[in-house]
Amino acid sequence: MLRGQKPTSATLNKTKSGDYFINFVVDIPTQPTGKTPKVIGVDLGRRDIATTSTGKSWNGKQIQNVRDCYSKVRANVQSKLVKEPHLV
């Protein structure tokens, strides 16, 4: 399968039993399989979490609230670690 191909990367692995194997990655051009009837676009940002090709979208208010809560907790913990470095 590698004949005539140019590997883009390789990984050498050792098993627990002491055997070695290598994985090669090659780019093999393929033809598209056809059109997808529905496409869903996903926005990993903070405003719209997901938007479908039909225009329906979901906002991330609940997720944003959780993100904000954990952000405040992290900031609080980090500020205490800076003030009291012997706790680390």
Side-chain angles (χ1 to χ4, degrees):
M1 292 191 76
L2 292 175
R3 187 167 303 177
Q5 302 295 327
K6 293 185 179 180
T8 57
S9 66
T11 306
L12 179 64
N13 297 297
K14 182 179 180 183
T15 64
K16 290 181 180 179
S17 63
D19 296 327
Y20 289 89
F21 64 95
I22 191 165
N23 290 329
F24 291 99
V25 177
V26 294
D27 288 328
I28 300 174
T30 58
Q31 294 296 323
T33 57
K35 290 186 177 182
T36 305
K38 291 186 179 183
V39 177
I40 296 177
V42 179
D43 177 12
L44 298 179
R46 292 183 160 310
R47 289 193 58 174
D48 291 331
I49 299 304
T51 303
T52 65
S53 59
T54 60
K56 185 173 181 180
S57 64
W58 291 264
N59 68 32
K61 287 182 181 179
Q62 182 179 5
I63 292 171
Q64 184 60 45
N65 290 339
V66 172
R67 286 176 178 166
D68 290 342
C69 177
Y70 282 111
S71 177
K72 289 175 186 175
V73 170
R74 277 192 307 275
N76 189 16
V77 170
Q78 288 172 349
S79 71
K80 290 182 191 294
L81 290 176
V82 170
K83 292 177 185 174
E84 301 178 32
H86 65 279
L87 295 177
V88 177

